[in-house]
Amino acid sequence: MSFKTKLFLLFSLLVFSKVSFAQTSDDPDIEYIIESIASNQTQDYDYSELIDRLTYYKRNKINLNKTSKEQLQELVFLNPLQIDALLNHIAVNGKLINVLELQSIKGFDLETIKNLLRFADINTPSGFENFSFNKLFKDGRNDLLVRYSRYLEQQQGFSPAKSTSTSRYLGTPERVFTRYRFAYSNNIEFSLNLEKDPGEKYLNGNYGPDFSSASLYIKDLGKVKKLVIGDYSLQFGQGLTLWSGLSFGKGADIFTVAKQDIGLKNYTSINEFSFFRGVATQINFGKFDFTPFVSYNKIDAGLALNPLTNLEEISSLQQSGLHRTSSELKNRRRISQLVFGGNLQYNYKKLSIGLTGYHSNYSQDFAPGNSVYNQFDFTGNSLNNVGINYSYTLNNTYFFGEFAHSLNSGIAYINGLISSLSPTVSAVLFNRNYQKDYYSFYNQGIGESSTAVNEKGFYAGLQIKPDRQFELDFYSDLFKFPYLKFGVDAPSQGYDIFSQFSFTPNKTTRLTLRYQFQNKQQNDTQPTYTNVLAFAKKSNYRADLLYQVNKSFSLRNRIEIVQYHEENKANRYGFLAYQDVIYSPLSSRWSGNTRLALFDTDGFDTRIYAYENDVLYGFSIPGFQNRGVRYYLNARYNVKRGVDLWMKYSLTKFNDQQTVGSGLDQIQGDLRSELKLQLRLQF
Amino acid sequence: MGKFYLLLFFVFIFISARAQDNNGPRITALGNAGVALQDVWSVKSNQAGIAGLKRAFLAAGYENKFGVKGLSNQSAVFSIPVKDYALGASFNSYGVSDYNEIKTGLTLARSFGPKLFLAIGLNYHQLKITDYGSAKAVSVDVGVQYQAFPNLWLASHISNPNQSKYDNNTDQIIPAHIQFGANYIFSDQLLITTEVEKILDAQADFKAGLEYKLVKFVALRGGISVNPFKQYAGFGVNYQRINIDFAVSSHPVLGYSPQVALGYEF
């Protein structure tokens, strides 16, 4: 399809878009927050935990007069300077009496205040002030949600096996997710998640559903600030020593590179990896907070026999959480993991210092790496980690950092600052150095790689917000990998430049232009006798326009172009354009949205990611590659108070393809469609 | 040994077609995005800038290139206002003992009211390589700066538009380039400056820099340029009439180049 045809199609869509379609779905405010922080949307990370968290606070608003730094940090869109300014304002001037007071706080622009008030208020009831078990069941709220989804076409893995040795999925093709929450005020929360993925069996032996996760979370009970029994996550400092669950990389919101640790939290995500199972608590002693924890869990791993010792060793940890074939089932919960330790945090005014130490122990040894690039990987079966982190606000500058050490091996550190240079200009700088033999199983330090290992770099970001209408975000990041990596057979380096301009002339219209350029070294794809490095350059151009047509309808257009260049090779291009229609009337039981997207890319290296609306708590950022059309329709119907139904139908049609997907996921034909149904009961 | 440096030098020349000039530590620390700034070092980045100076200035600087011993830039600049005009002079010597490039410049700038500055510069280039001989050339610069809004300066600068060369026996070029830029003054404390530069026969470059005055007499600076990707940082201290500026630039392959300059305001 030529570029002109695409433009024409896009134009016709603009003209005719009001005609076909249906209704709204999830929350545009939350969507905007996620789009601005999701790390350039290049990783398929599940942000459903964040949607969960924000939706929770939308219903159970934070009381700003009784809040803490940690709680405000959970609202990822506030930057550390704003949090300090708010807490300082309350400390100096006393409790907030009117929300209008927020406008007088330094660093709070109207958009931030508008965002904040969606999740917080100044006099919501909180605490166990007049708690009784009667009240618990009378005022407690239940939330039950069931989601069913499946591909409508048959995948290879579900077809009859040609012989007994052919691998097939042992379960059924649908994905079923059940979610239950009980919440009392902001203080008691019980969560239960049950899930089976496509291809998995409903019951694995006698163990129940493929993935089940539950936790009881109690907050602000005297000295006990938090207590979790069951599954939990821990986030301390800048994520070098200990950070599990939700985390952000480099993104359009430049402030999120300074991680805001929220310590202990109940684990409510359905990622089947990287959480703790056991007991943890946070106890407050004045300026000190102590968080001890212990966790015992079985995790997925591939094992291989070591011919020298004749013992089984861990060859890989499996993070996908998929247990569909007999070989995947064999690795399910195959090894056991024991983790215990603690964190001591000292908070005094604008200074906080934290010490973290923990021990992790595995039932088998990790096998030594058998390639040159992974020979510094962790071996053995036990590891001790220690770390110290700090943050301090001095006038208009917030300093942050962490130093981490895995005992008997390497170190990692990061130091940075966020400074508001003038009322309209803020800058972020940080420097990082992570050694190749620094080990932590819960390491999500910021960098070009997803874990803080074998990397050095310097990041500089700038945000200019001259008024409510304009915003310019910019960053550059230089990174070096002192040791080899997978697919990079020498020490390498690269850099990343990002700029985004957004124009919001009124409350209902927003134009965003984005440019990103990345240049990094990798093995040259030209065959030679020995691998040499070559630079691969990738440019992304994006234009996005969102505008409201009337009180019920909004439209959104996006065009994104990717250019990928490898040395000695022709340029490759990717193109994506879509039209969204969003229907969200004030008074109707129906709401929904629909999208038609065209994509035309020269393969994997030029794939383009785009956030997609989904059923509530659902989350998808699909990557588009090859040529085709994607369509989805997402609708919500409010049956009656407390009963909601969601439906999503999506379809991807590829041009000139005989099959879609690969391996056992392969579908015959050029079409893949999916149906999702969801029911929520609140009582 | 000299031959070795000579070789290194040509490597540097190859990688950065403009390495032989130096804009002084303040403009360097701002990512060399100096086209829209008013500074005594403007005599090297955009001569029009000296028309905005109320007093006479003299400054001299030294830059070591990439940590290579002996490979340096030595420069001096001077400017003096005379009614609506300003006169400027610059001197730059680059190289090692066996290879030397000298550029000497004279500038005449004029302000047409407080918002518009124009300037023309004349440069004399000398190139000397031991055992190979020497060559000479003359080039011209033209610059303009315009204050579009009270806190926004726009500027443009063209170097060597007639593409003058040393002579036919010398491959070494005098780059012809054009620069556009803007300088936005957010407050007394903060300015951000940007510049797009196109060198003939080389790729275009985008540069940006930021200067933040921590207190009235101490300024912190940082900048980047994207092609090649370089990072810059520096600071300046102003004590009564004396300025001391320091900058370091970081090239991803060649490493760090520190420089320092001392200035005096008459």
Side-chain angles (χ1 to χ4, degrees):
Chain A
M1 201 184 286
S2 77
F3 187 72
K4 272 186 183 166
T5 332
K6 276 172 218 153
L7 274 184
F8 172 75
L9 271 175
L10 189 77
F11 180 72
S12 8
L13 273 171
L14 285 170
V15 176
F16 301 117
S17 49
K18 276 192 207 170
V19 190
S20 71
F21 106 101
Q23 0 340 110
T24 271
S25 85
D26 49 286
D27 201 307
D29 309 326
I30 294 177
E31 178 191 334
Y32 180 61
I33 291 167
I34 289 172
E35 273 226 290
S36 66
I37 56 178
S39 48
N40 304 332
Q41 303 180 4
T42 51
Q43 289 162 358
D44 246 336
Y45 193 85
D46 182 2
Y47 286 94
S48 57
E49 184 190 335
L50 179 62
I51 300 174
D52 201 352
R53 187 196 296 173
L54 292 176
T55 315
Y56 176 83
Y57 281 124
K58 225 169 171 177
R59 207 160 168 232
N60 304 282
K61 287 195 172 168
I62 291 174
N63 183 337
L64 289 179
N65 282 320
K66 291 184 177 173
T67 190
S68 64
K69 188 173 165 185
E70 264 173 23
Q71 197 175 34
L72 290 172
Q73 285 177 337
E74 291 189 38
L75 302 176
V76 290
F77 55 84
L78 290 180
N79 73 47
L81 283 173
Q82 291 171 326
I83 291 174
D84 271 334
L86 172 62
L87 294 174
N88 189 43
H89 178 93
I90 294 171
V92 172
N93 303 310
K95 286 186 175 180
L96 296 167
I97 295 162
N98 193 308
V99 288
L100 292 175
E101 259 184 78
L102 290 171
Q103 293 187 36
S104 64
I105 301 176
K106 206 177 155 197
F108 275 67
D109 54 84
L110 280 172
E111 197 192 314
T112 310
I113 294 170
K114 218 168 77 185
N115 257 340
L116 178 63
L117 292 177
R118 291 190 176 109
F119 307 102
D121 209 338
I122 50 168
N123 47 16
T124 44
S126 86
F128 285 97
E129 280 147 12
N130 31 31
F131 175 81
S132 76
F133 277 95
N134 271 341
K135 281 191 99 158
L136 176 68
F137 292 105
K138 206 176 85 197
D139 296 345
R141 279 176 293 181
N142 297 278
D143 190 314
L144 177 70
L145 180 139
V146 181
R147 183 191 304 154
Y148 170 97
S149 65
R150 66 161 292 173
Y151 287 129
L152 300 178
E153 292 77 24
Q154 191 186 53
Q155 290 177 307
Q156 181 85 30
F158 299 107
S159 65
K162 290 189 184 82
S163 72
T164 48
S165 60
T166 339
S167 174
R168 282 294 177 264
Y169 293 152
L170 302 174
T172 51
E174 64 275 2
R175 180 175 190 221
V176 181
F177 167 53
T178 310
R179 173 189 185 275
Y180 171 73
R181 299 283 185 279
F182 173 82
Y184 172 76
S185 178
N186 239 327
N187 299 89
I188 300 178
E189 196 186 345
F190 174 77
S191 325
L192 174 71
N193 284 332
L194 304 172
E195 195 225 17
K196 83 168 268 299
D197 288 310
E200 292 177 344
K201 291 194 276 192
Y202 276 92
L203 298 172
N204 281 314
N206 300 320
Y207 301 115
D210 184 76
F211 177 68
S212 48
S213 168
S215 60
L216 177 66
Y217 185 24
I218 295 168
K219 275 191 273 187
D220 300 324
L221 182 65
K223 280 193 179 309
V224 179
K225 270 170 86 175
K226 297 174 187 172
L227 169 69
V228 182
I229 301 167
D231 293 351
Y232 57 90
S233 66
L234 294 165
Q235 306 187 336
F236 296 114
Q238 294 301 315
L240 303 185
T241 316
L242 178 54
W243 190 286
S244 69
L246 188 67
S247 140
F248 311 116
K250 297 181 278 182
D253 182 347
I254 59 166
F255 300 110
T256 57
V257 295
K259 285 192 194 297
Q260 305 202 44
D261 53 343
I262 53 175
L264 172 65
K265 188 154 186 350
N266 56 338
Y267 185 74
T268 56
S269 165
I270 46 174
N271 281 336
E272 298 178 30
F273 189 78
S274 189
F275 62 90
F276 299 97
R277 183 162 281 179
V279 184
T281 182
Q282 180 184 337
I283 305 166
N284 178 261
F285 304 98
K287 290 168 189 161
F288 289 93
D289 276 294
F290 180 54
T291 310
F293 59 91
V294 58
S295 159
Y296 179 81
N297 200 2
K298 296 214 160 196
I299 56 177
D300 297 357
L303 297 184
L305 205 63
N306 183 331
L308 293 176
T309 58
N310 215 20
L311 288 171
E312 282 194 318
E313 288 185 334
I314 301 168
S315 53
S316 63
L317 289 182
Q318 285 162 11
Q319 314 193 357
S320 70
L322 297 170
H323 314 108
R324 305 164 298 185
T325 61
S326 49
S327 59
E328 282 174 352
L329 272 170
K330 195 175 148 200
N331 292 337
R332 178 177 186 262
R333 295 171 65 77
R334 197 161 174 193
I335 58 167
S336 60
Q337 177 206 44
L338 173 70
V339 184
F340 59 87
N343 167 273
L344 184 67
Q345 192 85 25
Y346 172 77
N347 296 304
Y348 180 66
K349 290 185 177 168
K350 293 171 174 179
L351 170 72
S352 67
I353 296 174
L355 292 169
T356 309
Y358 68 102
H359 173 82
S360 24
N361 192 74
Y362 292 80
S363 56
Q364 270 84 9
D365 280 355
F366 280 80
N370 46 14
S371 303
V372 183
Y373 81 88
N374 64 9
Q375 62 166 307
F376 287 102
D377 284 4
F378 177 71
T379 57
N381 73 340
S382 79
L383 179 64
N384 292 303
N385 283 86
V386 291
I388 179 165
N389 64 277
Y390 68 88
S391 72
Y392 181 62
T393 306
L394 178 68
N395 299 328
N396 56 349
T397 307
Y398 171 83
F399 296 89
F400 62 91
E402 180 171 359
F403 177 88
H405 177 41
S406 48
L407 297 187
N408 303 319
S409 51
I411 58 163
Y413 61 83
I414 178 169
N415 290 293
L417 63 86
I418 296 179
S419 186
S420 112
L421 301 177
S422 87
T424 55
V425 181
S426 306
V428 181
L429 300 174
F430 73 85
N431 169 56
R432 59 194 185 270
N433 188 351
Y434 312 140
Q435 291 186 341
K436 61 178 183 286
D437 58 346
Y438 170 69
Y439 311 122
S440 163
F441 289 99
Y442 297 95
N443 163 354
Q444 296 198 43
I446 183 99
E448 179 63 16
S449 318
S450 51
T451 51
V453 176
N454 181 31
E455 183 172 332
K456 288 179 183 182
F458 184 79
Y459 173 104
L462 197 64
Q463 182 189 67
I464 305 174
K465 243 183 179 172
D467 54 36
R468 285 163 65 183
Q469 297 191 341
F470 296 97
E471 181 175 333
L472 183 70
D473 293 276
F474 175 85
Y475 73 71
S476 73
D477 186 38
L478 174 74
F479 44 85
K480 292 184 179 180
F481 306 114
Y483 192 65
L484 323 188
K485 287 163 73 79
F486 177 73
V488 189
D489 291 353
S492 64
Q493 59 177 355
Y495 61 90
D496 191 5
I497 293 168
F498 175 96
S499 58
Q500 177 172 296
F501 168 76
S502 65
F503 173 54
T504 317
N506 55 48
K507 280 180 183 168
T508 56
T509 311
R510 183 171 57 236
L511 171 72
T512 311
L513 301 174
R514 182 186 279 196
Y515 170 70
Q516 188 174 13
F517 179 75
Q518 192 167 58
N519 188 2
K520 62 200 231 185
Q521 288 177 302
Q522 59 185 37
N523 284 347
D524 198 341
T525 45
Q526 300 285 333
T528 43
Y529 290 107
T530 176
N531 281 339
V532 292
L533 298 189
F535 279 100
K537 299 174 182 174
K538 189 175 182 182
S539 314
N540 269 66
Y541 306 83
R542 174 193 289 185
D544 187 285
L545 178 64
L546 176 69
Y547 53 105
Q548 200 162 28
V549 178
N550 59 33
K551 280 185 177 160
S552 313
F553 284 99
S554 302
L555 300 179
R556 176 175 203 162
N557 312 102
R558 176 177 294 179
I559 293 185
E560 183 152 351
I561 295 168
V562 172
Q563 182 190 27
Y564 189 79
H565 175 80
E566 279 177 280
E567 280 174 43
N568 313 317
K569 278 190 146 183
N571 279 343
R572 274 172 279 166
Y573 295 92
F575 175 92
L576 170 76
Y578 66 69
Q579 170 74 52
D580 278 358
V581 181
I582 301 147
Y583 174 68
S584 50
L586 289 174
S587 57
S588 164
R589 291 181 179 278
W590 285 99
S591 59
N593 52 57
T594 183
R595 169 178 300 174
L596 186 72
L598 297 181
F599 55 96
D600 183 350
T601 74
D602 296 338
F604 182 77
D605 291 321
T606 51
R607 70 199 180 280
I608 298 176
Y609 292 87
Y611 180 92
E612 216 169 69
N613 286 299
D614 210 314
V615 298
L616 181 69
Y617 306 127
F619 175 82
S620 53
I621 297 187
F624 294 97
Q625 64 185 68
N626 302 334
R627 267 167 303 285
V629 178
R630 168 138 178 111
Y631 173 77
Y632 71 75
L633 172 68
N634 195 16
R636 171 184 179 174
Y637 179 64
N638 175 243
V639 182
K640 59 177 212 174
R641 199 182 147 83
V643 183
D644 295 278
L645 268 176
W646 283 263
M647 191 282 280
K648 183 179 180 186
Y649 172 76
S650 63
L651 169 157
T652 314
K653 188 176 183 303
F654 294 89
N655 281 14
D656 315 320
Q657 271 182 231
Q658 309 298 320
T659 58
V660 179
S662 63
L664 291 176
D665 285 335
Q666 194 175 73
I667 292 169
Q668 294 298 319
D670 61 355
L671 193 75
R672 182 166 62 196
S673 55
E674 189 187 24
L675 184 68
K676 245 181 223 186
L677 294 170
Q678 177 168 294
L679 172 70
R680 183 181 69 179
L681 303 174
Q682 290 178 313
F683 50 94
Chain B
M1 200 60 196
K3 291 258 163 64
F4 170 71
Y5 284 123
L6 199 59
L7 181 74
L8 259 184
F9 172 78
F10 282 110
V11 170
F12 297 144
I13 280 291
F14 182 72
I15 288 171
S16 173
R18 225 168 38 87
Q20 61 272 42
D21 212 347
N22 173 7
N23 290 323
R26 179 173 179 234
I27 292 172
T28 303
L30 294 169
N32 277 318
V35 69
L37 290 177
Q38 292 83 42
D39 192 291
V40 59
W41 289 93
S42 295
V43 290
K44 304 187 87 182
S45 59
N46 179 1
Q47 288 84 346
I50 61 167
L53 302 177
K54 299 275 181 296
R55 291 166 171 273
F57 278 89
L58 176 65
Y62 176 87
E63 177 185 37
N64 171 266
K65 281 294 207 188
F66 314 117
V68 175
K69 203 180 154 193
L71 182 61
S72 66
N73 254 316
Q74 289 150 41
S75 37
V77 287
F78 174 72
S79 84
I80 182 166
V82 186
K83 290 180 185 167
D84 283 346
Y85 291 87
L87 297 173
S90 72
F91 170 83
N92 194 79
S93 163
Y94 172 73
V96 290
S97 53
D98 285 336
Y99 178 101
N100 193 248
E101 258 184 72
I102 292 174
K103 180 179 169 186
T104 316
L106 282 174
T107 292
L108 177 65
R110 186 179 170 184
S111 60
F112 297 86
K115 287 184 173 183
L116 180 68
F117 305 150
L118 285 177
I120 184 158
L122 201 62
N123 304 303
Y124 181 60
H125 302 258
Q126 290 162 283
L127 174 66
K128 196 170 102 257
I129 308 175
T130 311
D131 300 336
Y132 284 84
S134 61
K136 297 175 179 68
V138 175
S139 75
V140 181
D141 285 357
V142 186
V144 57
Q145 289 186 340
Y146 174 64
Q147 190 177 22
F149 298 102
N151 41 15
L152 177 69
W153 283 88
L154 303 176
S156 160
H157 182 245
I158 300 169
S159 280
N160 196 17
N162 56 335
Q163 297 186 50
S164 77
K165 293 191 280 202
Y166 282 108
D167 60 53
N168 291 336
N169 298 327
T170 316
D171 279 343
Q172 177 62 346
I173 52 160
I174 298 166
H177 54 110
I178 185 160
Q179 293 145 286
F180 304 113
N183 170 25
Y184 194 89
I185 300 154
F186 284 88
S187 68
D188 291 343
Q189 279 190 299
L190 178 71
L191 68 84
I192 291 180
T193 171
T194 58
E195 177 179 321
V196 177
E197 178 178 31
K198 170 69 188 169
I199 303 179
L200 197 69
D201 300 324
Q203 282 184 299
D205 193 8
F206 173 78
K207 310 178 243 183
L210 179 153
E211 180 176 71
Y212 180 67
K213 284 199 176 121
L214 205 57
V215 285
K216 214 167 181 182
F217 53 90
V218 177
L220 301 179
R221 301 171 188 130
I224 63 151
S225 67
V226 300
N227 210 353
F229 185 75
K230 290 167 81 175
Q231 294 169 323
Y232 306 83
F235 65 87
V237 180
N238 174 301
Y239 178 73
Q240 291 179 352
R241 293 179 164 208
I242 296 169
N243 282 310
I244 296 170
D245 291 290
F246 177 81
V248 60
S249 68
S250 153
H251 189 286
V253 177
L254 301 174
Y256 296 101
S257 304
Q259 63 171 295
V260 64
L262 186 67
Y264 186 77
E265 179 181 352
F266 292 97

